[in-house]
């Protein structure tokens, strides 16, 4: 008898994948070490809970010969395919004919292996395109859906991961399982854990969109290795974070991109650009898998209200661990405001006079008043999050009761509980069950607190709109430095006075006209890196120096330009990223940015206010605040420059890059000393990016 809803293309959404009525294991085996045998064992719980489990192996008379045959005995919405790569396309086609809405190809040997594997993957993709069946993989170890009682994975022990509120969406099946185990060790359960694998069909954005409607998911851990469709991923993260926080770990920190035509191309690596795009979409960024677990675990139980600059109140029952917590939080750019007079007055009635009560609040040791202390700190108008730490001392205070007493419905609490043994584990578990974020040590406490602060900042970020102002359109073609600077002038960006000179007499006239010290440069759109070819001479003050420079530069057109006042050099650029589209970049100018990778990136177009905030991300930002009597930056002026470059690139598909390097901060404001414009049809030259001119 044909089971209901098993016609062609039935249940082709991700429900068939993650909540199937029946599962067929294709390539099932009686040999315990085989992949198909491991999957059949893992799915035993699904069968025990009432799901239909069919074993398929055409060479075993005790099993079904095909998925189509298995579907006669019960519904098969999902096919777990464990056969060699050359056979997978035919098996997938059979599953689609049998009415399966989804399949998982677990084995490898596809595009990741190269050679014939690419053809095997193309054949599988063709079946997906022809039939509409949803496919996870190939080259994945599967997924977990504990709330559905479904362990679609061959990894031993993964069935022990309990149901919970954290979803994992990982590029790698191995990382997916590693994170699931780390979450279990930290006391968290899983709502869904998926390894994307090669991503022939089902991709991270698909799973994120599925999770947006999942009532079991409180937060999502996203692991990213590479991105095929940047705008689609960003859109999925933005939709999801409106309801559910996302914590992202992007692999590739040490990726060294080939130099492009400018410093911008070299600095905006895929890792930095991906992180910037995900942050703009509302994700919280972390640097490693441990921090990912700490952050997503906290956000799965609590979330602060949106705030551009949330403040944290620190409460500690032991001074030393409290200082570790405070130091780590400040390293995460946390604002730790001094508590108001009313709060300090309340604390004065609760704590001994010798304790520190301004923020952090040191109670001396945990006592019965701890809950009221937490409540008083949470009530301070400057506090959006309370981060606490106490050693487990049950004779002194019941930490679970204190946390419940101190709870403010509008101010999350993350509580570090130090100690060891079953009683401590039980206390942490009780806090989690009460929907309070919990940590095992000050570092974890700070990581969780940092995430609970980063999330409201992300929620408060403005949604990117279109270009903020009217900019020139129809821009393209080759640009020498003079034409590039003329374009900057149309954007309202200042440049030094200059003259284009076609001969020696014109150059001498320009020197007399400009006066003072000048720079003399070769003017040729084909030469982007003028310093590399000896095309720049600085500090020229007289006719003899000018003649010597012109002799070295040779014939042709030259640019004679007034030297700028001293100051601090920046690099500002806009680039058309091949995955995410237009992005803007800000960093310290010249080789400093490359050596330290001290840059900030945003997708473009970007508002001037958001662009101005990029300065706060630079490690060298102190140099822009009047360092040792130097000029002080007006962030709004810089934000306008960055935003206008982004608007220009976004509005002109004929351009690939625009860069100002250096953009000098002087006592009179920002001045663009050099500019590069790269048309879309240009092939970047092989030489490395030009150094900044430190004396100009």
């Amino acid at each position: 008898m044909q089971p209901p809803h098993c016609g062609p293309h039935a249940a082709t959404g991700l429900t068939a994948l993650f909540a199937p009525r029946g599962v067929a294991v294709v390539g099932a085996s009686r040999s315990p070490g085989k992949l198909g045998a491991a999957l059949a064992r893992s799915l035993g719980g699904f069968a025990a809970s009432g799901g239909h489990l069919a074993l398929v192996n055409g060479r075993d008379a005790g099993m079904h010969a095909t998925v189509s045959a298995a579907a006669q005995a019960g519904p098969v919405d999902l096919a777990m395919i464990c056969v060699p790569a050359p056979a997978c396309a035919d098996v997938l086609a059979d599953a689609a004919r049998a009415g399966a809405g989804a399949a998982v190809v677990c084995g490898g040997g596809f595009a990741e292996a190269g050679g014939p594997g690419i053809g095997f993957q193309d054949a599988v993709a063709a079946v997906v395109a022809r039939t509409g069946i949803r496919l996870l993989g190939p080259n994945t170890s599967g997924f977990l859906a504990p709330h559905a009682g479904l362990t679609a994975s061959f990894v031993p022990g993964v069935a022990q991961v309990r149901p919970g509120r954290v979803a994992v969406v990982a590029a790698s099946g191995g990382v997916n399982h590693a994170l699931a185990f780390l979450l279990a060790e930290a006391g968290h359960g899983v709502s869904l854990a998926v390894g994307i694998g090669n991503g022939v069909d089902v991709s991270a954005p698909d799973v994120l969109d599925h999770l947006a409607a999942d009532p079991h998911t409180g937060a999502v851990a996203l692991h990213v290795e590479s991105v095929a469709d940047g705008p689609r991923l960003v859109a999925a993260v933005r939709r999801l974070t409106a309801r559910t926080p996302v914590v992202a770990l992007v692999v590739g920190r040490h990726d060294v991109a080939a130099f492009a035509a400018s410093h911008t191309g070299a600095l905006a690596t895929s890792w930095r650009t991906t992180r910037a795009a995900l942050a703009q979409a509302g994700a919280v960024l972390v640097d490693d898998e441990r921090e990912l677990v700490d952050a997503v675990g906290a956000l799965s139980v609590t979330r602060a209200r949106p705030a551009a600059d949330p403040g944290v109140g620190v409460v500690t029952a032991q001074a030393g661990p409290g200082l570790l917590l405070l130091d780590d939080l400040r390293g995460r750019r946390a604002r730790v405001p001094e508590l108001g007079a009313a709060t300090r007055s309340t604390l004065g009635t609760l704590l001994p006079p010798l304790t520190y009560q301004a923020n952090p609040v040191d109670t001396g040791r945990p006592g019965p008043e701890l809950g009221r202390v937490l409540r008083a700190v949470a009530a301070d108008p400057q506090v959006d999050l309370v981060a606490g730490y106490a050693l487990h001392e049950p004779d002194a205070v019941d930490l679970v009761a204190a946390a419940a007493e101190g709870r403010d419905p509008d101010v999350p609490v993350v509580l570090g509980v130090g100690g060891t043994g079953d009683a401590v584990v039980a206390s942490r578990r009780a806090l989690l069950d009460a929907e309070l974020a919990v940590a095992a040590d000050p570092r974890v406490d700070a990581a969780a607190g940092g995430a609970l602060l980063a999330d409201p900042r992300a929620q408060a970020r403005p949604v990117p709109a279109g270009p903020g102002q009217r900019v020139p359109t129809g821009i393209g073609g080759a640009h020498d430095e003079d034409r590039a600077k003329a374009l900057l002038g149309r954007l309202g960006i200042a440049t030094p006075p200059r003259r284009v000179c076609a001969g020696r007499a014109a150059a001498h006239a320009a020197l007399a006209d400009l006066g003072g010290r000048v720079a003399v440069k070769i003017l040729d759109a084909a030469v982007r890196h003028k310093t590399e070819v000896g095309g720049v001479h600085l500090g020229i003050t007289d006719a003899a120096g000018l003649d010597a420079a012109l002799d070295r530069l040779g014939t042709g057109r030259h640019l004679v330009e007034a030297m700028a006042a001293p100051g601090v050099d920046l690099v500002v650029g806009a680039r058309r990223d091949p995955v995410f589209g237009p992005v803007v970049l800000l960093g310290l100018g010249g080789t400093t940015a490359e050596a330290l990778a001290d840059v900030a990136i945003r997708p473009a177009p970007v508002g001037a206010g958001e662009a101005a905030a990029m300065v706060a991300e630079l490690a060298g930002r102190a140099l822009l605040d009047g360092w040792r009597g130097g000029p002080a930056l007006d962030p709004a002026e810089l934000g306008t420059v960055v935003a206008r470059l982004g608007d220009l690139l976004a509005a002109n598909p004929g351009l690939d890059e625009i860069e100002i390097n250096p953009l000098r901060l002087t006592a009179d404001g920002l001045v663009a000393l050099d500019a590069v414009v790269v048309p879309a049809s240009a092939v970047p030259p092989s030489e490395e990016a030009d150094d900044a001119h430190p004396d100009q």
Side-chain angles (χ1 to χ4, degrees):
M1 179 180 69
Q2 178 79 3
H5 310 299
C6 280
H9 310 301
T12 57
L14 296 193
T15 299
L17 180 63
F18 298 133
R21 298 165 298 169
V23 179
V25 178
V26 186
S29 174
R30 300 181 191 275
S31 300
K34 296 285 190 178
L35 185 64
L39 267 173
R41 288 194 299 271
S42 294
L43 289 163
F46 173 73
S49 63
H52 175 59
L53 178 62
L55 304 182
V56 178
N57 188 329
R59 293 182 294 181
D60 190 318
M63 301 183 188
H64 299 287
T66 62
V67 179
S68 296
Q72 301 303 311
V76 175
D77 293 328
L78 171 63
M80 301 293 299
I81 300 176
C82 312
V83 299
C88 283
D90 289 342
V91 171
L92 186 63
D94 175 51
R97 286 193 298 271
V104 178
V105 174
C106 299
F110 292 88
E112 82 285 352
I118 298 173
F120 301 148
Q121 183 157 309
D122 289 343
V124 166
V127 175
V128 170
R130 185 175 72 252
T131 66
I133 192 170
R134 301 309 309 264
L135 174 67
L136 179 64
N139 190 33
T140 177
S141 50
F143 67 92
L144 316 176
H147 289 286
L150 185 60
T151 305
S153 165
F154 55 80
V155 177
V158 76
Q160 304 306 311
V161 175
R162 67 185 181 92
R165 292 179 53 77
V166 179
V168 178
V169 182
S172 156
V175 170
N176 175 50
H177 286 82
L179 291 174
F181 289 135
L182 287 172
L183 286 162
E185 288 178 2
H188 301 290
V190 167
S191 59
L192 183 68
V194 184
I196 299 297
N198 290 8
V200 162
D201 175 38
V202 174
S203 62
D206 291 317
V207 182
L208 295 174
D209 282 338
H210 174 81
L211 291 169
D214 181 20
H216 299 298
T217 298
V220 177
L222 176 63
H223 165 258
V224 179
E225 289 181 349
S226 63
V227 179
D229 187 336
R232 185 166 176 241
L233 177 62
V234 166
V237 170
R238 182 171 289 121
R239 285 190 294 268
L240 182 55
T241 54
R243 170 188 177 273
T244 305
V246 174
V247 183
L249 171 61
V250 181
V251 178
R253 174 192 294 271
H254 302 294
D255 176 29
V256 180
F259 280 107
S262 65
H263 288 74
T264 303
L267 291 167
T269 65
S270 58
W271 178 77
R272 293 189 184 94
T273 302
T274 302
R275 282 171 57 93
L278 293 177
Q280 187 70 27
V284 173
L285 303 177
V286 294
D287 293 327
D288 58 54
E289 68 279 6
R290 289 282 179 180
E291 188 180 0
L292 176 61
V293 168
D294 301 336
V296 78
L299 285 166
S300 71
V301 296
T302 189
R303 194 179 195 187
R305 294 170 297 185
D309 189 20
V312 57
V314 179
V315 178
T316 180
Q318 288 84 24
L323 287 173
L324 292 174
L325 170 60
L326 177 65
D327 187 50
D328 201 334
L329 283 169
R330 283 182 168 154
R332 298 171 186 273
R333 298 193 299 123
R335 185 171 65 89
V336 186
E338 184 169 322
L339 300 176
T343 304
R344 295 199 303 272
S345 176
T346 300
L347 292 172
T349 67
L350 299 172
L351 297 173
L354 295 181
T355 55
Y356 193 80
Q357 301 171 14
N359 198 12
V361 176
D362 181 9
T363 68
R365 69 168 299 202
E369 75 286 343
L370 181 60
R372 286 169 286 163
V373 170
L374 292 170
R375 184 82 180 190
V377 173
D380 190 279
Q382 291 293 314
V383 171
D384 301 278
L385 165 74
V386 176
Y389 182 84
L391 294 176
H392 185 256
E393 298 183 50
D395 293 336
V397 63
D398 181 339
L399 290 176
V400 178
E405 181 184 9
R407 190 170 196 168
D408 183 315
D410 295 323
V411 180
V413 174
V414 54
L415 184 60
V417 180
T420 187
D422 293 342
V424 176
V425 173
S427 179
R428 292 173 186 154
R429 180 65 178 269
L431 287 166
L432 284 174
D433 289 344
E435 297 189 346
L436 290 161
V438 65
D441 58 56
R443 188 207 67 80
V444 175
D445 205 348
L452 290 168
L453 293 170
D455 178 58
R457 285 196 293 261
Q459 293 180 71
R461 269 183 165 171
V463 176
Q469 66 158 21
R470 295 187 66 179
V471 294
T473 57
I475 307 298
H479 283 63
D480 60 25
E481 184 177 340
D482 179 63
R483 187 183 177 200
K485 285 182 172 176
L487 180 58
L488 296 184
R490 296 173 68 184
L491 299 177
I493 300 171
T495 59
R498 65 187 184 276
R499 301 289 185 270
V500 176
C501 304
R504 192 171 294 257
H508 278 277
L511 174 64
D513 189 20
L514 295 172
R517 301 167 70 239
V518 301
V520 182
K521 310 176 186 179
I522 188 172
L523 191 60
D524 186 340
V527 181
R528 296 187 190 135
H529 309 313
K530 296 179 287 293
T531 300
E532 301 261 333
V533 297
V536 177
H537 297 274
L538 307 175
I540 295 169
T541 59
D542 55 29
L546 177 59
D547 282 331
L550 293 174
D551 288 341
R552 289 190 293 270
L553 289 174
T555 59
R557 298 166 70 243
H558 304 108
L559 189 69
V560 178
E561 185 173 68
M563 296 285 290
V568 182
D569 288 344
L570 299 166
V571 55
V572 175
R575 175 177 184 260
R576 199 171 305 280
D577 184 83
V579 175
F580 291 96
V583 299
V584 292
L585 176 143
L586 166 67
L588 295 176
T591 56
T592 304
E594 286 177 27
L596 302 179
D598 186 17
V599 296
I601 298 173
R602 294 286 189 279
V606 60
E610 176 71 10
M614 295 168 68
V615 177
E617 298 177 19
L618 300 180
R621 59 188 175 274
L623 297 174
L624 307 174
D625 294 333
W627 178 261
R628 295 189 174 180
L633 175 71
D634 176 1
E637 181 186 9
L638 180 60
T640 299
V641 171
V642 174
R644 287 177 179 174
L645 289 187
D647 289 347
L648 182 69
L649 189 72
N652 287 277
L655 298 180
D656 268 352
E657 289 190 40
I658 311 159
E659 180 180 275
I660 305 172
N661 186 24
L663 176 68
R664 178 163 294 175
L665 170 62
T666 72
D668 296 323
L670 295 169
V671 183
L673 303 191
D674 198 2
V676 172
V677 175
V678 181
S681 59
V683 178
S686 60
E687 68 262 27
E688 293 185 352
D690 189 14
D691 292 337
H693 311 314
D695 296 325
Q696 184 174 338

